[in-house]
Amino acid sequence: MPNKIVSSRDAAALIHSGDTLTTSGFVGAGVPDALLQALAERFDDEGHPRDLTLLFAAGQGDGKDRGLNRLAAPGLVRRVIGGHWGLIPKLASRAVAGEIEGYNFPQGVISHLYRDIAAGKPGTISHVGLETFVDPDQDGGRVNDRTPRDLVDRITIAGKDRLFYHALPIHVALLRGSTADEQGNVTMEREALILDNLAQAMAARNSGGVVIVQVDQIAARGSLPTRDVVIPAMLVDAVVVAPPELHMQTYATQYNRYYTGRYKKPEGSTAPSPLDLRKVIARRAAFELPVGGVVNLGIGMPEGISDVAAEEGLLHHVTLTAEPGVIGGQPASGLDFGAAVNTEAIIAQGNQFDFYDGGGLDMACLGMAEADATGHVNVSRFGPRLAGAGGFINITQNARNLVFAGSFTAGGLAVQISDGALHIQSEGRARKFGAAVEQITFSGTRAARLGQPVLYVTERCVFRLDPDGVRLIEVAPGIDIDHDILAHMGFRPLIDDVDVMDARIFTDAPMGLRDDLLSLGMARRIHFDADRDTLFINLAKMDIRSQRDLHDIKSRVETVLGPLNRKVNVVVNYDQTRIDDAVASDWAEMVGDLESRLYNQVTRYATSAFLRRKLGQTLHHRRRATIFDSERAAEAALRR
């Protein structure tokens, strides 16, 4: 086979006018900057190629000049189809001005579209994007009026509404790896992420296109370990060796061995972050972390939650993830975002979105730029500023529990945090809670209709999405509701009983959150929600080993429900609950007694299929019980 090593200029010569080009990368990780620079330089020198269509999933740039910002010269690109635009302002400004056609589709949809193009399918069918600006009933994902409505349709299949995203042939894939042999086999051992490289290469190859891969070193033919090869030589047409300055591991880091997943960083080696506005928000959001659950943390304000989790000793009790494919460990932030240290696994981005879209996330915390009275959230478009949705729509539509995190106002907000309280020193110039959002990136009406639990966390208050609107449920110590909250909103939230946010959030000392989340008392585990007329029993992470344990649970249920003198509906959380075999029969007997005397309908849930099966066997001694896989499904069953 021929030696596939070529110069970057020769590689750029393989791209022709009118081609559809796809590129790899996430923020600054895995971006083929040497290839992008060579393409830009060829256009500057020759005026060709022209009128390219650019297709990418995650944003690839530093917010200035690197990444896809290199392709902003007039005439080079005609159409852009992308997931996140915030880090490529040079292209985004041209799209907003109507100089080029532009689409903003969900990052996970584009990631899956690569696979469908590779498989020769006509497109991708997904529920992701319904009732958002991507829906053809709204904007169809178009950035400007010049852009035609021809890439996404709303369809009905098996009686359900779905969006159909059209496939298109990919003529060129510009990708990146670590090492290539002379045949063109490519490994990624020094990369922070795997991303969609294999799917993109297959899509280009099966479209009759070319695949060009940037690496930082060459190995002899056939010398690479077979299991390390991510992009096989049969898919690769050309390999370019990049200089170090154009092959940084991320845009913030030349190389960090811990980002590769091949080394573990010693724990406790990072100093606690200072107590500021961002940390206050991250701390309050961290109270929602599900012990034993899987969590996604978005870019921006939510990044701080991983630091809080580390400081509070919670990293071993939750699995933090990020959409490009990292699982476990501690996600990085800033221009390192997407990478992580001490990961348990790093998988392909498309596979991560399979898990997300199917409802695998127990909780997600994402940023919040605008919110309104119906609970809609906008993070994608603000007048002339095009941020793009990224993976936001995939994640927010499918997470079992959702937390939006952001400052209450923006632009000049300054606060003082002292003595367990918060004081506003200067108010932000821009309201974030207005009468209506400019663009619907998250549909509050859809979430409320489906019963998705949603919180909106700020430094001074917390809101909850209820079926009838957004409700104020917590206020920080030192904050006046009328002066500091309502006066700066474009709508009046629902207000009943408002709790005070935990003072520990505003104290510069460890909060002891690990103990709170791992050792709940019975009063917090078993409570009656009068608004929903439902008893909630949280047995998560509980070991039920003795008659004393049974007595404590039964006594608490009787204490709460006894004064009502009637039966009520009950939802029971059995997530990671362990019932000792020695008391299993007595447990089933006790449950049967409570059901006959105090319960109307009862539903149960556990995220583990093994636990659902085992629990079903335990309760089968008295009756067959359906164990659901989420709180949402369990509550929905009560409404049938």
Side-chain angles (χ1 to χ4, degrees), residues 320-445:
L320 301 181
T321 69
E323 56 267 32
V326 296
I327 297 174
Q330 185 172 359
S333 60
L335 289 178
D336 284 327
F337 183 70
V341 300
N342 299 343
T343 52
E344 298 172 20
I346 301 174
I347 65 175
Q349 180 169 250
N351 296 133
Q352 189 84 303
F353 277 112
D354 287 334
F355 180 71
Y356 284 5
D357 289 357
L361 287 171
D362 296 293
M363 171 198 163
C365 182
L366 296 100
M368 171 182 60
E370 282 187 319
D372 64 21
T374 58
H376 296 331
V377 173
N378 173 28
V379 298
S380 48
R381 182 71 179 265
F382 315 96
R385 180 169 173 257
L386 175 61
F392 186 94
I393 299 176
N394 297 85
I395 296 164
T396 58
Q397 282 196 343
N398 298 298
R400 295 174 180 174
N401 293 275
L402 188 56
V403 177
F404 292 111
S407 60
F408 187 75
T409 60
L413 173 62
V415 301
Q416 180 185 13
I417 305 163
S418 60
D419 301 322
L422 179 77
H423 304 282
I424 309 301
Q425 292 181 310
S426 63
E427 192 58 78
R429 296 182 297 276
R431 291 182 175 183
K432 296 178 71 171
F433 289 87
V437 296
E438 181 176 348
Q439 189 171 72
I440 299 175
T441 329
F442 168 77
S443 172
T445 54

Side-chain angles (χ1 to χ4, degrees), residues 27-28 31 59-64 66-69 87-88 251 335:
V27 186
V31 182
Q60 302 156 31
D62 61 353
K64 297 177 182 177
R66 290 182 287 185
L68 298 179
N69 291 294
L87 295 170
I88 52 170
Y251 282 149
L335 289 178

Side-chain angles (χ1 to χ4, degrees), residues 9 13 51 67 242 246 302 440 454 558 561:
R9 186 172 184 85
D51 298 328
L246 295 176
I440 299 175
V454 182
E558 291 174 335
L561 296 185

Side-chain angles (χ1 to χ4, degrees), residues 123-139:
T124 297
I125 297 173
S126 178
H127 62 285
V128 174
L130 286 168
E131 299 181 50
T132 73
F133 74 91
V134 179
D135 195 319
D137 286 354
Q138 295 188 29
D139 299 325

Side-chain angles (χ1 to χ4, degrees), residues 333-627:
S333 60
L335 289 178
D336 284 327
F337 183 70
V341 300
N342 299 343
T343 52
E344 298 172 20
I346 301 174
I347 65 175
Q349 180 169 250
N351 296 133
Q352 189 84 303
F353 277 112
D354 287 334
F355 180 71
Y356 284 5
D357 289 357
L361 287 171
D362 296 293
M363 171 198 163
C365 182
L366 296 100
M368 171 182 60
E370 282 187 319
D372 64 21
T374 58
H376 296 331
V377 173
N378 173 28
V379 298
S380 48
R381 182 71 179 265
F382 315 96
R385 180 169 173 257
L386 175 61
F392 186 94
I393 299 176
N394 297 85
I395 296 164
T396 58
Q397 282 196 343
N398 298 298
R400 295 174 180 174
N401 293 275
L402 188 56
V403 177
F404 292 111
S407 60
F408 187 75
T409 60
L413 173 62
V415 301
Q416 180 185 13
I417 305 163
S418 60
D419 301 322
L422 179 77
H423 304 282
I424 309 301
Q425 292 181 310
S426 63
E427 192 58 78
R429 296 182 297 276
R431 291 182 175 183
K432 296 178 71 171
F433 289 87
V437 296
E438 181 176 348
Q439 189 171 72
I440 299 175
T441 329
F442 168 77
S443 172
T445 54
R446 185 176 190 271
R449 186 177 69 248
L450 296 177
Q452 184 180 25
V454 182
L455 293 181
Y456 307 80
V457 173
T458 77
E459 79 286 349
R460 69 187 73 176
C461 60
V462 179
F463 300 96
R464 183 182 69 214
L465 180 62
D466 283 357
D468 47 352
V470 172
R471 184 179 302 276
L472 178 65
I473 60 171
E474 295 179 27
V475 173
I479 292 297
D480 179 81
I481 292 178
D482 289 323
H483 181 265
D484 296 321
I485 298 175
L486 300 182
H488 306 285
M489 299 181 69
F491 64 92
R492 183 177 179 84
L494 303 170
I495 303 176
D496 290 321
D497 295 327
V498 179
D499 292 329
V500 177
M501 294 170 70
D502 197 314
R504 291 175 296 172
I505 296 170
F506 308 93
T507 303
D508 196 5
M511 297 187 295
L513 188 55
R514 180 180 181 276
D515 291 338
D516 279 5
L517 296 182
L518 294 181
S519 56
L520 291 175
M522 282 298 164
R524 294 180 61 188
R525 285 187 178 273
I526 301 175
H527 73 280
F528 179 68
D529 188 323
D531 291 337
R532 289 187 274 186
D533 197 34
T534 302
L535 179 72
F536 289 89
I537 301 177
N538 179 12
L539 303 179
K541 295 285 287 186
M542 191 172 180
D543 287 324
I544 301 172
R545 300 176 178 176
S546 65
Q547 294 296 327
R548 176 63 185 224
D549 294 332
L550 269 63
H551 175 270
D552 289 346
I553 293 170
K554 182 177 181 180
S555 177
R556 174 61 183 170
V557 171
E558 291 174 335
T559 299
V560 172
L561 296 185
L564 298 179
N565 291 316
R566 60 183 175 86
K567 292 185 176 182
V568 301
N569 290 337
V570 182
V571 176
V572 189
N573 177 4
Y574 277 101
D575 223 11
Q576 299 191 50
T577 305
R578 288 176 287 274
I579 303 174
D580 195 281
D581 289 343
V583 298
S585 179
D586 292 335
W587 174 262
E589 189 74 25
M590 182 197 75
V591 169
D593 174 61
L594 292 174
E595 285 187 7
S596 65
R597 294 188 295 113
L598 300 174
Y599 297 173
N600 182 20
Q601 290 180 281
V602 57
T603 58
R604 304 167 176 89
Y605 69 96
T607 57
S608 165
F610 173 77
L611 287 176
R612 290 198 299 272
R613 184 178 180 85
K614 184 173 178 59
L615 180 61
Q617 292 172 344
T618 298
L619 297 180
H620 184 64
H621 291 131
R622 293 192 57 86
R623 60 192 50 78
R624 180 171 297 278
T626 299
I627 317 298

